[in-house]
Amino acid sequence: MAQKPSIPKGTRDFSPLEMAKRNYIFDTIKQVYQLYGFQQIETPAMETLGTLMGKYGEEGDKLLFKVLNSGDYLSKVTPEELAERNSLHLAAKLCEKGLRYDLTVPFARYVVMHRDELQLPFKRYQMQPVWRADRPQKGRYREFWQFDGDIVGSDSLLNEVELMQIVDTVFTRFGVRVQIKINNRKILTGIAEVIGAAEKIVDITVAIDKLDKIGLDNVNQELREDGLTDEQIEKLQPIISLEGTNDEKLNTIADVLGSSETGLKGVEETRFILDTLKALGLKNEIQLDLTLARGLNYYTGAIFEVKALDVQIGSITGGGRYDNLTGIFGMPGISGVGISFGVDRIFDVLNALDCYPKDATNGTQLLFINFGEKETAYCLPSVSKAREAGIRTEIFPDSTKMKKQMSYANAKQIPYVALAGENEMAAGKLTLKNMESGEQSLVTIDEIIKTIQG
Amino acid sequence: MAQKPSIPKGTRDFSPLEMAKRNYIFDTIKQVYQLYGFQQIETPAMETLGTLMGKYGEEGDKLLFKVLNSGDYLSKVTPEELAERNSLHLAAKLCEKGLRYDLTVPFARYVVMHRDELQLPFKRYQMQPVWRADRPQKGRYREFWQFDGDIVGSDSLLNEVELMQIVDTVFTRFGVRVQIKINNRKILTGIAEVIGAAEKIVDITVAIDKLDKIGLDNVNQELREDGLTDEQIEKLQPIISLEGTNDEKLNTIADVLGSSETGLKGVEETRFILDTLKALGLKNEIQLDLTLARGLNYYTGAIFEVKALDVQIGSITGGGRYDNLTGIFGMPGISGVGISFGVDRIFDVLNALDCYPKDATNGTQLLFINFGEKETAYCLPSVSKAREAGIRTEIFPDSTKMKKQMSYANAKQIPYVALAGENEMAAGKLTLKNMESGEQSLVTIDEIIKTIQG
């Protein structure tokens, strides 16, 4: 019996126009990565649960899609384990594999497994879907794409500089104005050190982040409620009200951090990155923002985030430095720094601003109308000739009504249509119709090729 | 505790060189599809089991990777169902989704779900991984790639012609000599009809296929063992010993098929396809082969298969016409014809013949050596300038030993290295080293760009 088909919730089909736009995004980012010497890798959709579990927190473990073992998957499960009905425990018995949750953990696993063949520093990009059993909502999918670039095996801050240049170049090529925000985990650690409240650093950044919304008094009140003493809050005042250029901000922070070696190291790193970028000249603004605290437990140095200026959508790219990515897989001491482009959100931004180039769709350029067997036989060599010249060409396969063929051309937005009837065949030519202007002319296939190639 | 990581059996990591080669394969096929007006779609990795189950036979159902329901997946299972320990039955309770097994069923599902927005005929290509819980062995993976092209909504044989042109163009661009084999399901049906043994057609093609290996007497013996009468075998003799050009073969077949309308329709279709292709001129040979019987129950018209001439590896591309793909999803009467490129085998063939173009790797073209902070600051604007000119450029991020940096250049096969010390800085120039010839020269960044751009 025929069923009405559907797809799993939170997943999507991509139709030709969407694919063309997505490919434009992927290709643009890819080309910029390549310009900076990054090389592509791919890892399997399925990883062992040993690789995935415990890497994304308790919540993450629950959001992993687990793949049922094939064959008699019940053979390793005792009747007692079944009767227990403990979903989490039983899943570990029923499943050995899960779907990739991000590209970072598989990359760490890759680096460890391929250590002997890798030339460090290793600059890789990777563009693959990831899967999370999150509750689907607007803009949040269960299957979505990440486009990561990382450099592992080098402590140099030039890597941070290059990643910012990559971000700047990518969004400039897209024609999207962005603000790049930068922070440094070491500065945050330093602040916590000097006020003597290391465990409060998350609360502090959360409170400071509300300054614009709730005002200084309320921020201070919130800090008090978070358990900070008046003395600690007093020391934080220059940080909370931090203003001015990046240089001015760094000077203020350095003052506050006075005695913290870690904190001053963070200031120095940030200064180098910002100074170098200033000398090279970015197209987009880069701003020091101490409230930027993404993945705090994960990053150990610079932290980045990118926001679109003309669309309200949250972070569209982010990243930072991590000092021990591969440690979890038994290979300590490899430092890395990376960024991740949020392709689905970038797609939304480019749609909102309608900034796809006209030729991004790679659509058909020339359609031959099908008037019947004889006319088709006459046209086919010209069809081949156009394709040999690199023109994306179709001949309508069925000799249906002219109207249907023309509406096919319109629906596919094909700019040129060629046709041949008695007159054209007698003249050894074709009629070429410009679908935009409506203009028609009797020409040879060579002239058609020349016209379309511009 | 650190674990030694691994990946699920039958899956693969793809390292930069492999990725570059695979991208060359994907891009080449993609460009040819586009040249013929095909448009790309993508479907989700997970489909509902309702979409997948029952489409690939009983064996296929077992080979589907099923995804455990998220959350409390046990809540819908009764204690009795658990106690029953029936793997297949229980799986249907534990799992609602499975991983894509091929691209054909998801495409049929796509056409049905998007019927209102599709302009027929719809020419789509799709290039995505599929997953099968097959026993892994050499050349057979649990995650592998398919690259399908299909035209649905048109009965015209011009579609068959175009698919053969696409195959011919793709392998010509690869520089791989192939033999294209063509058959027609209707001819096979006709043969079965005229000898009055419709249910024996698979046995017959299997036996005929052995002619070269075991000789005519043994083929006839096998047919006898398959239960054919002497009279039936007698009638088959011209078919078994079929020889000559495609035209001669078609004439012989037409003689044998005499009274079978279906069979003669198959001859006529094949004749049109072959005649049209002859007029257009293929680079590779196309041969009528009655033993070609792939997916017999699935195809209803033309059947194709492609074999490499210079590498022993089996079929590397195949396809055919099917008359009711979307019927299973409640949308009857849509005819389609398609081909599928076996990307993993094509990769093996191109490796065996070493026919990747030199520039397929998109590797770094220019490396700046890092001598320290001052030299780096001097080089960075030139690095940017090279990239702006489209040259894939790196600067080594750490100022380590020259030897290490040069071996990095060698390992990544970077053709040019630039360096700047005191002398170069004083002259406002750079030393450019051609890594192949060893030649060095003192030049400006503009000259370097000109040299590399050729």
Side-chain angles (χ1 to χ4, degrees):
Chain A
M1 214 190 63
Q3 24 169 319
K4 205 175 164 192
S6 64
I7 54 176
K9 63 178 175 182
T11 69
R12 292 163 289 173
D13 284 327
F14 295 108
S15 287
L17 185 62
E18 291 161 322
M19 276 311 299
K21 290 178 173 179
R22 291 171 63 86
N23 283 335
Y24 165 70
I25 294 173
F26 286 129
D27 289 345
T28 302
I29 302 175
K30 194 171 180 168
Q31 277 160 19
V32 176
Y33 274 131
Q34 287 177 358
L35 212 46
Y36 283 75
F38 286 65
Q39 298 176 302
Q40 189 173 11
I41 70 160
E42 281 188 0
T43 60
M46 293 187 281
E47 293 276 353
T48 68
L49 284 178
T51 295
L52 299 174
M53 296 285 282
K55 308 303 188 299
Y56 308 104
E58 211 174 300
E59 193 54 22
D61 282 352
K62 282 188 201 153
L63 297 185
L64 287 172
F65 279 111
K66 299 172 187 78
V67 177
L68 197 65
N69 292 338
S70 38
D72 186 11
Y73 59 89
L74 284 173
S75 65
K76 285 184 203 156
V77 189
T78 66
E80 292 73 34
E81 285 167 330
L82 274 182
E84 209 186 322
R85 298 181 76 90
N86 179 328
S87 289
L88 217 60
H89 178 76
L90 193 59
K93 297 274 168 177
L94 300 176
C95 307
E96 287 167 1
K97 297 177 289 292
L99 295 183
R100 186 167 54 219
Y101 182 89
D102 72 358
L103 301 181
T104 307
V105 167
F107 177 53
R109 195 264 311 141
Y110 174 93
V111 170
V112 174
M113 280 181 69
H114 297 261
R115 61 213 292 176
D116 294 333
E117 58 198 81
L118 288 183
Q119 186 72 25
L120 296 183
F122 180 51
K123 302 164 97 169
R124 88 86 172 76
Y125 68 89
Q126 187 171 355
M127 154 186 114
Q128 292 190 277
V130 302
W131 296 270
R132 295 181 190 177
D134 248 323
R135 192 178 300 273
Q137 58 185 54
K138 194 181 173 315
R140 193 204 279 162
Y141 304 101
R142 291 186 149 191
E143 173 179 64
F144 60 99
W145 272 252
Q146 293 189 335
F147 201 153
D148 286 15
D150 289 82
I151 304 147
V152 294
S154 164
D155 295 326
S156 167
L157 294 170
L158 284 181
N159 299 309
E160 275 84 341
V161 169
E162 291 207 340
L163 290 175
M164 294 304 93
Q165 289 183 289
I166 287 173
V167 165
D168 187 59
T169 307
V170 163
F171 288 105
T172 302
R173 290 193 178 187
F174 284 146
V176 172
R177 299 191 315 136
V178 296
Q179 185 182 53
I180 306 172
K181 294 188 169 191
I182 185 168
N183 193 7
N184 194 300
R185 174 75 172 100
K186 295 191 180 94
I187 295 180
L188 295 178
T189 304
I191 293 171
E193 266 178 38
V194 294
I195 67 163
E199 74 295 350
K200 291 273 159 59
I201 189 63
V202 174
D203 293 335
I204 295 172
T205 56
V206 167
I208 298 178
D209 196 26
K210 296 183 184 163
L211 183 65
D212 284 348
K213 257 193 219 145
I214 63 177
L216 183 60
D217 286 350
N218 289 318
V219 168
N220 287 336
Q221 181 54 33
E222 190 163 320
L223 290 170
R224 221 165 279 126
E225 282 160 18
D226 289 336
L228 266 70
T229 66
D230 284 349
E231 194 194 350
Q232 288 171 327
I233 292 171
E234 184 57 34
K235 268 195 192 160
L236 274 179
Q237 292 310 300
I239 299 292
I240 299 174
S241 320
L242 200 62
E243 274 190 350
T245 65
N246 290 330
D247 270 338
E248 288 163 357
K249 285 182 186 172
L250 282 172
N251 292 338
T252 308
I253 296 166
D255 277 352
V256 175
L257 289 175
S259 62
S260 165
E261 202 178 317
T262 306
L264 291 176
K265 182 92 174 79
V267 170
E268 190 194 318
E269 287 181 9
T270 310
R271 210 187 286 278
F272 176 85
I273 296 168
L274 291 173
D275 284 352
T276 309
L277 287 171
K278 195 191 269 176
L280 292 170
L282 290 191
K283 303 272 194 305
N284 292 284
E285 189 203 2
I286 183 163
Q287 198 180 56
L288 175 61
D289 182 353
L290 288 191
T291 65
L292 178 61
R294 54 180 288 137
L296 199 61
N297 297 314
Y298 186 73
Y299 293 119
T300 53
I303 307 172
F304 330 110
E305 194 168 274
V306 181
K307 286 193 173 183
L309 287 178
D310 304 310
V311 181
Q312 287 277 349
I313 199 165
S315 162
I316 51 177
T317 295
R321 179 170 289 273
Y322 41 84
D323 270 343
N324 197 13
L325 180 67
T326 53
I328 36 169
F329 297 118
M331 188 182 173
I334 302 280
S335 183
V337 56
I339 47 172
S340 184
F341 288 93
V343 176
D344 292 287
R345 280 191 179 168
I346 293 173
F347 178 75
D348 288 342
V349 169
L350 265 66
N351 277 338
L353 303 176
D354 192 21
C355 46
Y356 293 98
K358 234 189 142 183
D359 60 355
T361 53
N362 284 319
T364 300
Q365 298 163 286
L366 174 62
L367 173 73
F368 281 77
I369 298 295
N370 188 329
F371 282 129
E373 223 170 289
K374 207 174 46 180
E375 291 83 356
T376 298
Y378 172 79
C379 286
L380 280 177
S382 295
V383 174
S384 290
K385 210 164 179 189
R387 285 174 181 151
E388 273 158 33
I391 292 168
R392 297 184 294 275
T393 307
E394 292 182 58
I395 177 161
F396 199 87
D398 306 278
S399 59
T400 50
K401 285 194 204 108
M402 177 79 174
K403 200 183 150 193
K404 195 184 164 195
Q405 300 189 41
M406 290 309 268
S407 65
Y408 178 86
N410 282 324
K412 280 188 96 169
Q413 299 189 293
I414 301 173
Y416 290 97
V417 164
L419 28 96
E422 287 299 334
N423 294 342
E424 287 84 356
M425 295 199 291
K429 295 197 171 182
L430 296 151
T431 291
L432 180 70
K433 178 169 181 172
N434 180 323
M435 293 294 280
E436 207 177 326
S437 67
E439 204 185 325
Q440 296 200 170
S441 49
L442 188 69
V443 288
T444 64
I445 182 63
D446 290 330
E447 288 167 320
I448 290 178
I449 291 168
K450 241 172 117 179
T451 300
I452 296 178
Q453 285 177 336
Chain B
M1 213 190 62
Q3 28 169 315
K4 204 175 164 194
S6 63
I7 54 175
K9 64 178 174 182
T11 71
R12 292 163 288 173
D13 283 329
F14 294 108
S15 287
L17 185 62
E18 290 160 323
M19 276 312 297
K21 289 177 173 179
R22 289 170 63 86
N23 282 336
Y24 165 70
I25 293 172
F26 286 128
D27 289 345
T28 303
I29 301 175
K30 195 172 177 164
Q31 278 158 19
V32 177
Y33 274 131
Q34 287 177 357
L35 212 46
Y36 282 74
F38 285 66
Q39 298 177 301
Q40 189 173 11
I41 70 160
E42 281 189 0
T43 61
M46 293 187 280
E47 294 277 353
T48 68
L49 285 178
T51 296
L52 298 174
M53 295 285 282
K55 308 303 188 300
Y56 308 105
E58 212 175 297
E59 191 56 22
D61 282 352
K62 282 189 200 151
L63 298 184
L64 287 171
F65 278 111
K66 299 172 186 78
V67 177
L68 198 64
N69 292 339
S70 38
D72 186 11
Y73 59 90
L74 283 173
S75 65
K76 285 185 204 156
V77 188
T78 66
E80 292 73 33
E81 284 167 331
L82 274 182
E84 207 186 321
R85 297 181 77 88
N86 180 328
S87 290
L88 217 60
H89 178 77
L90 193 59
K93 298 273 167 178
L94 301 175
C95 307
E96 286 167 0
K97 298 178 287 295
L99 296 182
R100 186 169 51 218
Y101 182 89
D102 72 359
L103 302 181
T104 307
V105 168
F107 176 54
R109 196 263 312 140
Y110 174 93
V111 169
V112 174
M113 281 181 69
H114 298 260
R115 61 211 293 174
D116 293 335
E117 59 197 79
L118 288 184
Q119 186 72 26
L120 296 183
F122 181 50
K123 303 164 96 171
R124 87 88 172 74
Y125 68 89
Q126 187 172 355
M127 154 186 114
Q128 292 192 276
V130 301
W131 296 271
R132 296 181 189 177
D134 248 322
R135 191 180 301 274
Q137 57 184 55
K138 194 179 173 318
R140 193 206 280 163
Y141 304 101
R142 290 186 151 191
E143 174 179 64
F144 60 98
W145 272 253
Q146 292 189 336
F147 201 152
D148 286 15
D150 289 81
I151 304 146
V152 293
S154 163
D155 294 326
S156 166
L157 294 169
L158 283 181
N159 299 308
E160 276 84 342
V161 168
E162 290 207 340
L163 290 175
M164 295 303 92
Q165 287 183 291
I166 287 173
V167 164
D168 186 60
T169 307
V170 163
F171 288 104
T172 301
R173 290 193 178 186
F174 284 146
V176 172
R177 298 193 313 138
V178 296
Q179 186 183 51
I180 306 172
K181 292 185 170 193
I182 186 170
N183 194 8
N184 195 300
R185 174 74 171 101
K186 295 191 181 94
I187 294 179
L188 296 178
T189 304
I191 293 171
E193 266 177 40
V194 294
I195 67 162
E199 75 294 350
K200 291 277 159 56
I201 189 64
V202 174
D203 294 335
I204 294 172
T205 58
V206 168
I208 298 178
D209 197 26
K210 294 182 183 164
L211 183 66
D212 284 349
K213 255 191 219 147
I214 64 176
L216 182 61
D217 287 351
N218 288 319
V219 169
N220 287 336
Q221 181 55 33
E222 193 164 317
L223 290 171
R224 221 164 279 130
E225 282 160 18
D226 288 337
L228 267 69
T229 65
D230 283 350
E231 195 195 351
Q232 288 171 326
I233 293 171
E234 185 55 35
K235 269 194 190 161
L236 274 178
Q237 292 310 301
I239 300 290
I240 300 174
S241 318
L242 200 63
E243 274 191 350
T245 64
N246 289 330
D247 271 337
E248 288 164 356
K249 285 181 185 173
L250 283 172
N251 291 337
T252 306
I253 296 166
D255 277 351
V256 174
L257 289 175
S259 62
S260 164
E261 204 179 315
T262 306
L264 290 177
K265 182 94 174 78
V267 169
E268 189 195 320
E269 287 181 10
T270 309
R271 208 186 290 276
F272 176 84
I273 297 167
L274 291 173
D275 283 352
T276 310
L277 288 170
K278 195 191 268 176
L280 293 170
L282 292 190
K283 303 271 195 306
N284 292 282
E285 189 204 2
I286 183 163
Q287 200 181 54
L288 174 62
D289 181 352
L290 288 191
T291 67
L292 179 61
R294 55 181 287 137
L296 198 60
N297 297 313
Y298 185 72
Y299 294 119
T300 52
I303 307 172
F304 328 110
E305 195 170 272
V306 181
K307 287 194 169 179
L309 287 178
D310 304 311
V311 180
Q312 287 277 348
I313 199 167
S315 163
I316 52 177
T317 294
R321 179 170 288 272
Y322 40 84
D323 271 342
N324 197 15
L325 180 65
T326 54
I328 36 170
F329 297 118
M331 188 183 174
I334 302 279
S335 182
V337 56
I339 47 171
S340 184
F341 286 93
V343 176
D344 293 286
R345 280 192 178 167
I346 292 173
F347 179 75
D348 289 342
V349 169
L350 265 65
N351 277 338
L353 302 177
D354 193 22
C355 45
Y356 293 98
K358 236 187 140 183
D359 59 354
T361 53
N362 285 318
T364 300
Q365 297 164 287
L366 173 63
L367 174 72
F368 282 78
I369 298 295
N370 188 327
F371 282 130
E373 224 170 289
K374 207 174 48 182
E375 292 82 355
T376 298
Y378 172 81
C379 286
L380 279 178
S382 295
V383 173
S384 290
K385 211 164 177 187
R387 284 174 182 152
E388 273 158 32
I391 291 168
R392 296 184 296 273
T393 307
E394 291 182 57
I395 177 161
F396 199 87
D398 307 279
S399 61
T400 50
K401 285 194 204 107
M402 176 78 172
K403 200 184 149 193
K404 195 185 163 194
Q405 300 188 42
M406 291 308 267
S407 65
Y408 177 86
N410 282 324
K412 277 188 99 169
Q413 299 189 294
I414 301 173
Y416 290 97
V417 164
L419 26 97
E422 288 299 336
N423 295 341
E424 287 84 356
M425 294 199 292
K429 295 198 172 181
L430 295 152
T431 291
L432 181 70
K433 179 170 178 172
N434 179 323
M435 293 294 279
E436 206 179 324
S437 68
E439 204 184 327
Q440 297 199 170
S441 49
L442 189 69
V443 287
T444 65
I445 182 62
D446 291 329
E447 287 168 320
I448 290 178
I449 290 168
K450 241 172 116 181
T451 301
I452 295 178
Q453 286 177 334

